[in-house]
């Protein structure tokens, strides 16, 4: 038993040690100033983890958050991004070190993947009955799973790692369920996986169906009973997660990911040889939109899969479905219909081949099985198998573009294959007493290869110092702002003119009007786009806001690193070490009345042009255009455009065509504004400029960009703002899930709440529940008559109670199933004993 624990400990600590050393070598804090924030971990996960920690430590509601854009359900966000059981440790973790918490959980989950993979190999191949050689090799294969190409590419996607780590344990549970009629491990492990992250759980469940068919096909009897057990306990596991799945499904129905659109025609993204190149050692990980999977599982696994097909000790009946599974996976990565099927009847926008960890699992299991029957492998088969792999590498290198898999990856993979070939041959040729040394060398070589690949392709780093540079100053400014607002219960939002991410509000702790999340309400994004602001499938952003739209979104303050943002629309109110807080002169509370005529005369066309803005202003009483074409001179050159207005005023710009993702505008007095994600097309605020003052706009791609220049008509803004500010909601109480206030209505109209229109809110007017309408399909709208009205909003996550009842019932049914099963087993045992006793008596008499 102690020896068995040793192997499990080694399987856990080997990948943990490797990843820790790589992080230290990369200068990850506290061993340097770097961190492993990358892609969505940088822009989404760290802000969401910070918000979760804040809620846990301050006892705030876990149902709703005002820091997610205009407001969002937090249970659904938790289910999608934060449901790992480990994340509850944030209740004890300092918020200043959330990045380190995430780093440690990633390293732990990678190590856990090694542990669970070893557990699968131990159970599947009964290693307790085998020699030490197979134990050492199992540890190496477990490390290969934990340090695979999938992990190298997606280790930053911390929400996926629980499922990836526990998947081998689920498969052990399936084998126990089918072969031994023991359901507990299967039910518990699958329930945890589904609760932790529905997306990876979906991929695992698809694979479970294929794996079950494979297992039951090899079972000679009681197949129907096995199918019944599989269906029942799979259903219970899924239903046990209903407490999160149902709210998540409801909120997702409002997102840009809702709906299913089948592909029109079948197509293949790439050929076999190009796809094979993605198995190479040191192949750069791919996370873009061109479907290339990350298939690395060790060069040794490539040889061993070929040897698996040759092995006569393994029955053909057993080999064919497993090799068929490998072929099916290969086809799935390159065929659009199978790609659509695997990814939940959707095409991923990026991060392709998300099921590749399952392919890697199958390849490693087949490779290990080839080693189990090593005696049947001849030197000639080793030579031929290695030659096949080298031939495939050569052919693949001729057909694959350098940017997909570079020549270095082909070369180093070929060298490793040659080394493995030599060592595999030596394991057959040397004397018996020297073979353990050869296998030791093979293990060392394999571990070295895994380390090299992970060090080259995994754990991209960025500056932790830069990421947190503004944190203390922003917190100081926000603290000053809160002190000023303490005497009022009014609701307001804050925005950032130089944001680090679109979820800065979670990082720094303020209500905002910007959100980047897969759960984002798509109708709010459509509203933003129609108002010439930034919006897309999974984000909407304050970029492009005018004074009128900013007021309608209840944005009262803005943060900036520029001391020259003071103008006719905002005034500076605080400063901290070069960071500034400005107060907008145009601001509206959470609710404001729109007259009936304005409700009927303006409709958001989602065309992202000035007509929408000007029509809105006119509907609200403005005379003339709110934003007008400016008279100006324009000088266009490569990478730079100079705009010179003919008269003083507040200006905006819009490009004719632009591929650059970053634009920087500057003037001679030191004012500068960087515009990120400009390819998303939104109105560019250039601020208050003087006549004849040149505005230089540089782009990141050295393009020649032509711009339109527009001038803000403040008189039109004032008239429209006067209409909206006449009757507003006076908020007297507010929390994450509760708003109470009153509004005095001077003219029949509609109370607009700058809150996304979706299920969960109960709205009362004068104590009576009312059914709100949708303003432009995006915000809550409540028709009101003249007089004073009390408005109360209360939030309850939709589907949470129903999901909780289903989850509780499923757990009870599982316990009941266990009790019935044990009683039945006890009864069978008693009956067998009675029969045996009767047989003994019969013999005696």
């Amino acid at each position: 038993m102690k020896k068995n624990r040793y192997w499990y400990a080694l399987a856990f600590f080997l990948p943990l040690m490797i990843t820790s050393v790589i992080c230290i070598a990369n200068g990850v804090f506290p061993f340097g100033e770097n961190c492993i924030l990358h892609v969505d971990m940088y822009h989404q996960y760290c802000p969401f983890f910070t918000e979760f920690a804040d809620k846990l430590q301050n006892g705030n509601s876990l149902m709703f958050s005002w820091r997610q854009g205009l407001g969002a359900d937090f249970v659904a966000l938790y289910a999608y991004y934060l449901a790992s059981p480990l994340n509850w440790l944030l209740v004890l973790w300092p918020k200043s070190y959330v990045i380190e918490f995430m780093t440690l959980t990633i390293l732990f989950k990678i190590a856990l993947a090694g542990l669970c993979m070893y557990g699968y190999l131990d159970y599947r191949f009964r290693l307790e009955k085998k020699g030490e050689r197979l134990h050492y090799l199992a540890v190496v294969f477990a490390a290969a799973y934990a340090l695979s190409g999938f992990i190298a590419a997606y280790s930053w996607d911390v929400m996926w790692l629980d499922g990836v780590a526990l998947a081998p344990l689920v498969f052990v549970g399936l084998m126990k369920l089918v072969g031994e009629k023991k359901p507990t491990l299967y039910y518990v492990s699958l329930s945890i996986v589904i609760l932790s992250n529905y997306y990876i759980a979906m991929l695992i469940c698809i694979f479970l169906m294929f794996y079950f068919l494979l297992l039951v096909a090899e079972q000679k009897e009681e197949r129907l009973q096995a199918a019944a057990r599989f269906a029942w306990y799979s259903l219970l596991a899924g239903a046990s997660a209903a407490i999160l799945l149902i709210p998540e499904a409801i909120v997702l129905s409002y997102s840009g990911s809702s709906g299913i659109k089948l592909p029109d025609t079948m197509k293949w993204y790439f050929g076999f040889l190009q796809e094979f190149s993605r198995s190479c050692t040191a192949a750069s990980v791919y996370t873009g939109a061109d479907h290339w999977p990350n298939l690395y599982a060790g060069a040794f696994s490539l040889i061993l899969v070929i040897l698996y097909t040759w092995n006569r000790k393994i029955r053909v009946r057993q080999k064919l479905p497993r090799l068929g599974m490998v072929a099916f996976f290969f086809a799935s990565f390159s065929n659009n219909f199978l790609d659509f099927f695997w990814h939940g009847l959707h095409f991923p926008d990026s991060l392709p081949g998300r099921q590749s960890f399952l392919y890697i699992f199958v390849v490693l299991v087949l490779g290990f099985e080839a080693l189990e029957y090593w005696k049947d492998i001849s030197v000639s088969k080793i030579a031929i198998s290695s030659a096949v792999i080298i031939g495939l590498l050569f052919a693949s290198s001729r057909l694959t573009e350098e940017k997909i898999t570079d020549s270095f990856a082909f070369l180093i993979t070929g060298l490793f294959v040659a080394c493995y070939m030599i060592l595999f041959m030596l394991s057959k040729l040397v004397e018996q007493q020297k073979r353990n040394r050869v296998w030791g060398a093979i293990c060392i070589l394999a571990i070295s290869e895994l380390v090299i690949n992970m060090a080259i392709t995994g754990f991209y780093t960025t500056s932790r110092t830069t990421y947190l540079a503004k944190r203390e100053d922003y917190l100081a400014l926000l603290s000053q702002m809160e002190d000023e607002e303490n005497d009022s219960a009014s609701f307001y939002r804050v925005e950032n003119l130089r944001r680090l991410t679109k979820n800065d509000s979670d990082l720094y702790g303020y209500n905002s009007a910007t959100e980047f999340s897969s759960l984002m309400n798509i109708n709010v994004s459509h509203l933003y786009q129609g108002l010439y602001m930034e919006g897309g499938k999974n984000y909407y952003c304050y970029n492009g806001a005018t004074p009128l739209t900013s007021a309608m979104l209840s944005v009262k303050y803005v943060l900036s690193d520029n001391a020259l943002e003071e103008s006719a629309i905002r005034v500076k109110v605080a400063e901290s070490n070069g960071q500034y807080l400005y107060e907008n002169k145009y601001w509206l509370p959470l609710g404001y009345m729109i007259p009936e005529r304005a409700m009927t005369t303006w409709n958001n066309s989602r065309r992202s042009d000035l007509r929408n803005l000007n029509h809105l202003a006119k509907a609200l009483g403005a005379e003339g255009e709110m934003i007008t074409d400016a008279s100006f001179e324009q000088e266009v050159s490569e990478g730079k455009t100079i705009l010179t207005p003919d008269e003083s005023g507040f200006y905006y710009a819009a490009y004719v065509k632009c591929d650059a993702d970053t634009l920087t505008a500057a003037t001679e007095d030191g004012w500068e504004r960087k515009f990120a994600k400009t390819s998303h097309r939104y109105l560019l605020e250039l601020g208050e400029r003087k006549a004849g003052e040149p505005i230089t706009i540089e782009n990141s791609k050295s393009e020649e960009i032509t711009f339109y220049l527009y001038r803000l008509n403040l008189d039109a803004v004032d008239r429209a703002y006067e209409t909206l500010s006449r009757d507003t909601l006076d908020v007297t109480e507010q929390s994450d899930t509760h708003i109470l206030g009153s509004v005095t209505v001077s003219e029949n109209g509609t109370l607009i709440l700058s809150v996304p229109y979706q299920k969960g809110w109960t709205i009362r007017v004068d104590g009576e529940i009312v059914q709100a309408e949708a303003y432009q399909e995006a915000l809550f709208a409540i028709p009101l008559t003249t007089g004073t009205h009390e408005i109360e909003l209360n939030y309850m996550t939709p589907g949470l109670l129903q999901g909780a009842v289903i989850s509780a019932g499923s757990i009870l049914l599982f316990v009941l199933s266990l009790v019935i099963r044990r009683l039945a087993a006890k009864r069978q045992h008693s009956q067998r004993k009675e029969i045996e006793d009767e047989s003994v008596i019969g013999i005696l008499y």
Side-chain angles (χ1 to χ4, degrees):
M1 180 62 72
K2 289 184 179 180
K3 190 66 173 177
N4 202 37
R5 290 176 183 173
Y6 164 78
W7 298 117
Y8 278 91
L10 190 58
F12 178 86
F13 284 106
L14 178 60
L16 180 64
M17 181 183 69
I18 291 171
T19 51
S20 298
V21 170
I22 291 172
C23 285
I24 292 170
N26 288 342
V28 172
F29 184 86
F31 303 97
E33 67 95 25
N34 291 327
C35 62
I36 61 172
L37 295 183
H38 186 55
V39 194
D40 288 347
M41 187 181 178
Y42 184 103
H43 293 279
Q44 290 183 301
Y45 308 159
C46 187
F48 296 162
F49 272 67
T50 303
E51 170 70 351
F52 187 43
D54 184 76
K55 282 182 172 291
L56 291 178
Q57 293 174 20
N58 293 316
N60 296 331
S61 173
L62 295 176
M63 287 193 188
F64 195 83
S65 174
W66 292 107
R67 295 174 183 174
Q68 301 292 316
L70 300 180
D73 185 273
F74 198 80
V75 172
L77 184 131
Y78 170 82
Y80 197 94
Y81 292 102
L82 300 165
S84 170
L86 292 175
N87 294 342
W88 288 89
L89 294 174
L90 282 166
V91 70
L92 304 172
W93 199 270
K95 283 194 292 183
S96 301
Y97 297 97
V98 167
I99 296 174
E100 285 61 55
F101 177 87
M102 299 174 71
T103 302
L104 291 174
T105 58
I106 286 172
L107 299 187
F108 174 82
K109 291 174 187 179
I110 291 173
L112 183 63
L115 177 68
C116 292
M117 184 62 179
Y118 180 86
Y120 175 88
L121 295 173
D122 184 21
Y123 179 81
R124 167 74 175 76
F125 297 102
R126 300 293 189 263
L127 294 183
E128 73 277 2
K129 299 178 181 179
K130 308 293 172 63
E132 281 195 353
R133 174 171 66 84
L134 276 181
H135 282 282
Y136 277 115
L137 289 169
V139 169
V140 172
F141 274 67
Y145 178 76
L147 304 173
S148 66
F150 179 93
I151 295 295
Y154 300 135
S155 62
W156 52 267
D157 213 325
V158 59
M159 65 186 189
W160 288 356
L161 295 186
D162 297 73
V164 175
L166 294 175
L169 197 61
V170 176
F171 305 147
V172 173
L174 178 63
M175 288 190 291
K176 284 179 172 284
L177 178 71
V178 173
E180 302 176 28
K181 305 178 184 178
K182 296 179 178 179
T184 303
L185 179 61
Y186 178 73
Y187 166 80
V188 172
S189 60
L190 184 58
S191 297
I192 293 172
V193 166
I194 297 172
L195 280 165
S196 297
N197 184 261
Y198 90 97
Y199 194 91
I200 288 297
M202 174 188 68
L203 300 177
I204 291 172
C205 288
I206 293 172
F207 181 76
L208 281 170
M209 291 189 292
F210 293 115
Y211 199 1
F212 169 75
L213 292 175
L214 186 149
L215 292 175
V216 82
E218 295 173 354
Q219 187 165 297
K220 295 181 180 179
E221 55 187 20
E222 294 189 354
R223 291 180 177 179
L224 287 178
Q225 294 91 324
R229 288 195 301 275
F230 174 67
W232 175 243
Y233 289 106
S234 297
L235 179 64
L236 286 182
S240 296
I243 189 172
L244 295 182
L245 293 181
I246 292 178
E248 188 173 15
I250 292 172
V251 174
L252 273 171
S253 69
Y254 293 96
S255 74
S257 300
S258 61
I260 296 172
K261 184 180 179 181
L262 290 168
D264 297 324
T265 57
M266 180 180 290
K267 65 178 181 179
W268 297 86
Y269 304 139
F270 31 71
F272 167 78
L273 289 173
Q274 291 95 328
E275 184 177 341
F276 178 78
S277 74
R278 302 299 301 155
S279 303
C280 286
T281 309
S284 298
V285 297
Y286 186 83
T287 57
D290 287 337
H291 309 288
W292 296 102
N294 300 284
L295 304 180
Y296 172 76
F300 55 87
S301 68
L302 301 177
I303 303 173
L304 291 172
V305 168
I306 302 295
L307 289 172
Y308 174 86
T309 65
W310 285 54
N311 201 307
R312 290 176 296 180
K313 293 285 187 181
I314 304 171
R315 292 175 298 171
V316 173
R317 181 184 171 187
Q318 182 178 339
K319 280 192 287 190
L320 284 181
R322 287 168 171 80
L323 292 172
M325 194 178 292
V326 173
F328 177 71
F329 268 114
F330 239 76
S332 298
F333 296 125
S334 61
N335 180 272
N336 67 324
F337 272 96
L338 294 176
D339 184 33
F340 184 79
F341 163 75
W342 270 105
H343 293 101
L345 304 183
H346 285 84
F347 289 112
D349 290 332
S350 57
L351 316 183
R354 301 177 187 185
Q355 74 275 33
S356 63
F357 72 97
L358 296 167
Y359 161 83
I360 289 164
F361 169 82
V362 173
V363 165
L364 289 171
V365 171
L366 299 191
F368 191 82
E369 191 164 1
L371 290 174
E372 187 186 29
Y373 296 102
W374 191 249
K375 289 182 180 180
D376 190 60
I377 301 296
S378 64
V379 171
S380 61
K381 287 181 179 179
I382 295 171
I384 294 171
S385 298
S386 302
V388 168
I389 298 302
I390 290 174
L392 288 173
L393 289 171
F394 177 78
S396 179
S397 68
R398 301 296 92 191
L399 296 175
T400 305
E401 295 181 37
E402 185 81 7
K403 65 180 182 180
I404 301 303
T405 306
D406 58 35
S407 53
F408 173 74
F410 286 110
L411 177 61
I412 194 171
T413 306
L415 288 174
F416 273 112
V417 168
C419 291
Y420 288 124
M421 178 184 70
I422 293 169
L423 289 173
F424 284 155
M425 287 180 171
L426 285 175
S427 74
K428 307 295 292 186
L429 297 173
V430 299
E431 299 172 0
Q432 186 68 35
Q433 58 269 30
K434 294 182 180 179
R435 289 182 182 177
N436 282 341
R437 296 179 186 177
V438 175
W439 285 108
I442 290 171
C443 290
I444 292 171
L445 179 65
I447 292 170
S448 301
E449 181 200 348
L450 296 173
V451 171
I452 290 169
N453 181 78
M454 195 67 180
I456 293 174
T457 65
F459 291 137
Y460 287 93
T461 59
T462 190
S463 171
R464 181 182 187 274
T465 304
T466 300
Y467 193 83
L468 298 176
K470 299 178 181 180
R471 184 175 185 274
E472 294 304 320
D473 293 318
Y474 276 5
L475 293 179
L477 291 172
L478 294 169
S479 177
Q480 293 181 53
M481 176 193 72
E482 289 169 1
D483 289 341
E484 291 292 327
E485 295 284 348
N486 264 347
D487 295 334
S488 169
S490 64
F491 183 97
Y492 59 89
R493 294 187 172 99
V494 180
E495 268 300 337
N496 193 341
L497 298 181
R498 187 71 177 273
R499 64 182 56 82
L500 181 72
T501 75
K502 283 183 169 62
N503 293 304
D504 279 7
S505 51
D506 291 296
L507 277 177
Y508 306 122
Y510 56 81
N511 302 340
S512 81
T514 296
E515 180 180 11
F516 171 33
S517 166
S518 296
L519 298 162
M520 174 215 73
N521 188 312
I522 191 64
N523 290 322
V524 176
S525 178
H526 291 163
L527 176 64
Y528 274 48
Q529 292 173 63
L531 295 172
Y532 221 147
M533 296 170 66
E534 186 183 1
K537 181 179 178 180
N538 55 11
Y539 60 87
Y540 57 80
C541 183
Y542 185 74
N543 288 340
T546 64
L548 180 59
T549 51
S550 176
M552 292 176 70
L553 298 174
S554 307
V555 177
K556 189 173 184 179
Y557 296 96
V558 293
L559 294 160
S560 176
D561 58 0
N562 195 317
L564 303 176
E565 293 290 355
E566 205 160 27
S567 67
I569 68 170
R570 61 178 68 100
V571 60
K572 188 181 350 177
V573 293
E575 184 268 339
S576 178
N577 295 320
Q579 304 300 322
Y580 303 90
L581 180 70
Y582 294 87
E583 183 175 351
N584 286 331
K585 295 181 181 179
Y586 299 93
W587 165 76
L588 294 167
L590 185 68
Y592 44 86
M593 293 295 298
I594 290 185
E596 288 181 351
R597 64 182 183 279
M599 288 292 292
T600 57
T601 56
W602 183 73
N603 182 55
N604 176 32
S605 68
R606 289 176 51 196
R607 293 173 59 178
S608 297
D609 59 23
L610 297 182
R611 283 174 290 182
N612 256 358
L613 288 168
N614 286 327
H615 288 167
L616 173 62
K618 286 182 179 179
L620 293 172
E623 296 180 358
E625 305 288 302
M626 184 176 71
I627 296 180
T628 61
D629 292 328
S631 174
F632 70 106
E633 295 180 3
Q634 181 166 203
E635 181 183 336
V636 181
S637 59
E638 191 175 284
K640 183 169 67 175
T641 303
I642 299 176
L643 310 175
T644 307
D646 292 340
E647 57 183 316
S648 299
F650 198 96
Y651 285 94
Y652 295 91
Y655 55 75
V656 176
K657 182 182 178 183
C658 174
D659 293 324
D661 219 30
T662 303
L663 297 175
T664 302
T667 57
E668 294 174 350
D669 64 358
W671 175 87
E672 181 183 275
R673 177 83 69 83
K674 287 187 181 294
F675 301 98
K677 300 296 181 182
T678 46
S679 58
H680 293 169
R681 186 174 286 277
Y682 55 86
L683 208 55
L684 309 176
E685 182 189 306
L686 301 180
E688 204 163 46
R689 306 272 70 92
K690 298 176 182 177
E693 178 184 15
I695 309 165
T696 301
I697 304 178
E698 297 182 341
N699 66 80
S700 57
K701 283 194 173 181
S702 300
E703 295 180 68
E704 294 185 2
I705 302 177
T706 302
F707 289 89
Y708 303 110
L709 190 65
Y710 305 109
R711 187 169 180 268
L712 181 67
N713 179 354
L714 286 171
D715 289 336
V717 174
D718 287 337
R719 290 295 298 273
Y721 177 72
E722 181 184 346
T723 300
L724 294 176
S725 61
R726 187 179 302 125
D727 302 331
T728 61
L729 181 67
D730 180 21
V731 176
T732 55
E733 294 179 15
Q734 62 172 297
S735 68
D736 286 334
T737 58
H738 174 71
I739 296 288
L740 180 65
S742 62
V743 58
T744 300
V745 180
S746 59
E747 177 186 350
N748 290 351
T750 303
L751 178 68
I752 303 299
L753 301 172
S754 56
V755 180
Y757 181 80
Q758 60 190 57
K759 292 180 180 179
W761 286 104
T762 299
I763 300 176
R764 287 181 170 83
V765 176
D766 300 327
E768 298 291 330
I769 295 178
V770 299
Q771 184 63 47
E773 300 172 356
Y775 178 62
Q776 305 301 324
E777 300 181 354
L779 305 177
F780 278 100
I782 308 169
L784 294 177
T785 57
T786 57
T788 299
H789 301 280
E790 182 184 74
I791 309 296
E792 183 178 7
L793 287 78
N794 291 291
Y795 189 80
M796 175 70 177
T797 294
L800 182 64
L801 287 179
Q802 298 92 321
V805 170
I806 294 172
S807 293
S810 300
I811 294 170
L812 289 175
L813 283 173
F814 171 70
V815 173
L816 184 62
S817 298
L818 288 185
V819 172
I820 293 173
R821 180 178 174 273
R822 290 183 180 179
L823 290 174
K826 188 175 181 180
R827 183 179 178 184
Q828 288 177 358
H829 177 73
S830 299
Q831 289 175 344
R832 282 197 301 268
K833 190 173 181 181
E834 287 177 6
I835 293 171
E836 290 172 0
D837 291 343
E838 289 175 359
S839 299
V840 172
I841 293 171
I843 292 172
L844 292 175
Y845 291 96

